[in-house]
Amino acid sequence: MKNHTINLTVNGEEHEILVEPNALLVNVLRDELGLTGTKYGCGTGQCAACTVLVNGESVLSCLTLAVAVDGADIVSIEGVARPDGTLDPVQEAFLDHSAIQCGFCTPAMVMMGRDLLNKNRDPSEPEIREHIKGNLCRCTGYTSIVRAIKSCAQKREPQTE
Amino acid sequence: MGDVEYLAPRDLKEALKAMEEWKGRAKVIAGGTNLIPYMRAGWISPELIVDFSGFKDLAYIKEGNGAISIGALTTISEVASSETIRNYSPILSSAASHLGNPLCRNRATIGGNLANASPGADMAPPLLALEASVHTERGGEKGREISLHEFFLGPNQTVLEEDEVITEITFPKPKDPATGSQIKFGLRNAEALSIVNIAVMLEMEGKVCRKARVALCPLAPTPIRAYRLEELLEGKRIDEGLLDECAGILKEEITPRRVSIRASAEYRKMLSSILFKRAVQEALKGVKA
Amino acid sequence: MKAYQIEIKLNGEWRKAEVTVRETLLDVLRDKLGAKEVKNGCGKGDCGTCAVILDGKAVNSCLTLALQANGKEITTLKGIGTEEKPHPLQKSFVEHGAIQCGFCTPGMIVSAKTLLDQNPKPSREEIREAISGNLCRCTGYKKIVDAIQETALEDKS
């Protein structure tokens, strides 16, 4: 197999990586770049624990070949908090609402929550449930996750003058 | 599962008479926290259940001349929350507060815990270390006072006759209640069957140990006192070397089950020696419960 | 099997039942007195789903013979609060997402109620201790402890 050199911008940092053609994005993030926040759950696109944003769109990284996203701008859970370490409001909300039990679904849930709020500042509960319907959680029963995301609705980003 | 009858006697006299008449075929129910599971599992099949749970006058904690008396029907909760027990025997408060869970403790009785005689009976180590006695009564015959260290015969076996019932537990007020320690090590924080439950009471004169009582379970068919350790400690300055020597001997004194349930015999031996040292160190701090 | 008549004061109301010696209080509450809010989890006092208040103390009803409850006062979840008139604890459990499958909930509320009756401002440690006989497989307990703590903090009395 001939290896490919690809360029990925991950959480604002540029990386040049040599990958095999069949390398999955989830494994490249975790094993090559050490970004283990993105989880390998089922490997078949059913649990969505591997969710990342690729060029602003939520994507199942276990069903994405790394070579297919050469040149892309990727955001993983490690890039959600502010550079100074301040948590994103969605992350804070998850803590406040006890929406984290084992924590395995949490990175992807937070990504999807952030993704939704980026597109829809004030989602309704049904809209939230629709948006995370691909993300499985075996612990919480989802209620606290939905409440956490809902609590971030209508929050405006601080205006910078 | 045959038919079983039930008697709620008006008083102790009536209860003891029934126990005598049905000798060997009747069982006492107090808290029921052992009896009911045993019956449901089919391990015991009494023909008559005699209900002692209504005898409120057998539930008390009294401070007398030189001794503490506890009625057999005092619940474990009552023992755990008793100020008298906390003042005179904090190791007993400690053991009581770690038995089972709060719901269980509200029904389980101190007499029942001893009479059931589990090899891991939670109340046994502190009561052995306190040199407690059990007081019994019978219908036709006289009751007796039995030193706790002579009470247990084997797993769920005691010297009690089939119609003999514990009515009271007593122990002499320790010279220094604070130089004692009780440690229960289990696989979880509540509802744990102990891996090791150790109680230590010391009488110290400066750094010299005048009297030592060390009791543990479930490391033998019954809760035991570690007599050899007590002999080794008494009259000596307690230092690291002595404790190491004792810890080594302890491994030979105990005979945990070879079949590994919750923990292997090897692990229990190792754990016992570590907890023994820790218990003595805690006792020397004069730690209150 | 010999049958005995007993009377218990269930949630403030005297009720009669015919019981056998082997029947536990749990059996009678669920099967003869319609108190299905009291759950049968393990039958041996480990799970706490059968918890009720007997003589002011939270106990496992599976470890009490029905005959031992004769003449006594028993409070179950429904004696603490109802749909029409929920107890603050019940409201708090709902608000905190402390109910997932709901099976442990009645027992949890019973243990929590007796705790708050004895200790109106418990620490988190004291709350955990009080519910240490109530198992929950769903919530990871945090939400339950939060719910109980909030109820305690909100109680002005």
Side-chain angles (χ1 to χ4, degrees), chain B residues 1-6 29-33 36-37 39-40 49 51 53 101-107 188 190-191, chain C residues 1-2 4 21-22 43 45-46 48 51 54 57-60 62-65 67-68 111 129-130 132-135:
Chain B
M1 284 219 290
D3 217 354
V4 53
E5 288 186 47
Y6 169 87
I29 192 167
T33 54
I36 294 176
M39 283 180 65
R40 287 170 69 93
I49 294 175
D51 194 347
S53 65
N101 65 53
L103 299 162
C104 171
R105 296 196 282 273
N106 282 337
R107 294 288 286 176
R188 50 207 281 201
E191 307 193 336
Chain C
M1 271 246 168
K2 186 171 175 194
Y4 297 78
V21 179
R22 290 182 193 277
D46 284 336
L54 166 62
K57 302 267 192 292
V59 302
N60 291 312
C62 73
L63 293 185
T64 310
L65 293 180
L67 284 164
Q68 291 184 294
S111 291
E129 170 73 25
S132 62
N134 296 81
L135 301 184

Side-chain angles (χ1 to χ4, degrees), chain B residues 76 94-102 104-105 108 113 122-123 184:
Chain B
I76 304 299
S94 174
S97 63
H98 290 111
L99 186 154
N101 65 53
C104 171
R105 296 196 282 273
N113 188 246
D122 280 85
M123 304 304 276
K184 174 174 176 175

Side-chain angles (χ1 to χ4, degrees), chain A residues 95-101 138-144 147, chain C residues 93-97 99-100 137-143 146:
Chain A
L95 289 170
D96 291 340
H97 288 79
S98 303
I100 306 166
Q101 285 185 213
R138 303 325 289 126
C139 298
T140 64
Y142 300 97
T143 305
S144 45
R147 284 181 186 174
Chain C
F93 267 59
V94 171
E95 272 155 30
H96 281 82
I99 306 168
Q100 286 186 209
R137 305 325 288 130
C138 299
T139 65
Y141 298 100
K142 182 175 184 292
K143 293 179 260 208
D146 290 345

